[in-house]
Every structure is written in C-alpha cells, then in structure tokens.
Amino acid sequence: MLTLGVAVLGLYTAWDVACGADAAREELAHARHMLKEVACTLPVAKQPMPEVVIDVEEPQTLAEKNRNPLNVKKPANGGMWKGQVGTDKFGHAQFTTQEYGIRAGALVLRTYAREHKVSTVEELVARFAEGNREGYVKNLCRRLRVEPDEKIDLVKRMPELLRAMVRQESGKDLPEHFFFSYDVAAAL
C-alpha cells in the first residue's frame, strides 16, 4: 500500500510541474481521498499520507532567461553577437552564457563612446534604454556618483557602468568574477 501511495505521489508531483500548482493540488487531494478509501478496505493498518511541500521557484527575469544581463538588443546590421544563439520576441539577444551577454554590453558602451561620442549618463540612457529613463538615469548616477549631465569616459568607467546597468536591467548583482576582465582592462 505504501509503495502504491509513493508512486501516485510521485506522479502527482510531476503533474504539478507540468500543469501548474492549483491543478496539481486538486489532483493530489483527490488521490489522497482515493488512497484512504483503498486503505480502509485492506487488512493492513492505515498509514498517514505524507504532506507534500511544493517548492515554487522565483520567476526568472528576461535578462536571466536570455543570459543577457544588460538586455542588449540584436545587432542592427542583422548579424549576431559572439555567443548569441537567438533573439526573443522583444528583439533582445539570447546568449549561451552570461559572459557573452556582458561582452555584448561592453561592446555597445565602447561603440557609444567612440562612434556616437556619448559622454554623460543622460546621453547613454537616452540611447540605450526604452523604458523608465528617468529612473534609469537616477540609479546609474547614484551608483557612479555623478550628475546626469556630468562628462564621463564610458570606456574607463565601463566596469562600474556594466555593474550598474546589470543591476538596473536584471534587478540583481552578478558575482565579481563576471567583471574581472573589464576591471583589468580599465586599469590599463
């Protein structure tokens, strides 16, 4: 009887993952009821059903799903970034690793500085962000300790910018090892 209960419980746990927590809970309650009825007809003593704890994972952000911590868009020229494996429905590049996503963000910053002569946080956000630009500027300025219209060197400040933009775009700070090579390059 206990083996049958464990098997049914395992099936309904898998059902939970496939169909959603509410449907799985309803099915599990029904299975418990059926098992109790079967247990009542068997000469073996009843065993209490173990409680099922359903662990619901925190939903991933778009940046995490795409392994693109800065939510960099696909290149305008129709090509692909190194490490890019696709594009989501919003035009964001999807990468094999987060390192490739950060690399693409670093290349975007370098292009902004060299080709487009972007030199302030306001100019950067106006060019890079589509959403809440005012909040974006405020957060970057606070992290970089600069004024919105203060001139900065995007290439020299790249490690700080990358960290701040990752935090803004994905809502999380990444471990330091993701930025080590940019720290070294900025120090040269």
Side-chain angles (χ1 to χ4, degrees):
M1 177 61 199
L2 187 56
T3 304
L4 174 63
V6 171
V8 170
L9 183 61
L11 287 174
Y12 283 102
T13 302
W15 178 271
D16 175 54
V17 171
C19 296
D22 292 338
R25 285 186 190 102
E26 187 176 315
E27 291 293 327
L28 188 56
H30 178 69
R32 283 185 177 151
H33 175 73
M34 296 302 293
L35 285 173
K36 286 180 183 177
E37 295 218 33
V38 171
C40 291
T41 62
L42 295 173
V44 181
K46 292 184 198 178
Q47 296 288 329
M49 289 296 296
E51 284 297 315
V52 176
V53 177
I54 299 172
D55 183 25
V56 180
E57 284 188 27
E58 184 179 317
Q60 286 187 320
T61 64
L62 190 63
E64 290 171 320
K65 287 178 188 174
N66 292 336
R67 289 179 289 296
N68 183 353
L70 284 93
N71 285 325
V72 173
K73 298 283 189 169
K74 65 181 179 183
N77 65 6
M80 291 181 77
W81 298 105
K82 185 173 183 177
Q84 184 180 347
V85 293
T87 306
D88 71 9
K89 64 183 180 180
F90 304 107
H92 298 107
Q94 296 170 317
F95 294 97
T96 56
T97 66
Q98 290 184 344
E99 288 86 352
Y100 282 123
I102 293 170
R103 178 185 181 276
L107 292 173
V108 166
L109 291 177
R110 188 181 72 185
T111 300
Y112 285 2
R114 291 184 178 168
E115 294 178 21
H116 303 288
K117 307 301 181 210
V118 171
S119 62
T120 69
V121 171
E122 281 179 331
E123 293 170 346
L124 168 65
V125 172
R127 187 163 188 90
F128 186 82
E130 295 174 353
N132 178 8
R133 289 183 174 158
E134 187 177 306
Y136 209 134
V137 168
K138 183 179 176 181
N139 289 335
L140 289 184
C141 286
R142 182 179 44 80
R143 295 273 307 247
L144 296 172
R145 295 183 177 105
V146 297
E147 294 298 319
D149 59 350
E150 183 179 332
K151 299 269 186 208
I152 61 171
D153 185 336
L154 296 186
V155 175
K156 288 188 180 195
R157 304 284 308 261
M158 189 176 296
E160 297 169 272
L161 275 168
L162 289 172
R163 286 177 177 91
M165 291 173 74
V166 165
R167 176 67 182 184
Q168 178 70 26
E169 293 288 337
S170 64
K172 298 178 181 177
D173 291 316
L174 289 178
E176 284 300 306
H177 73 271
F178 284 102
F179 305 102
F180 179 71
S181 59
Y182 302 102
D183 291 331
V184 171
L188 297 177

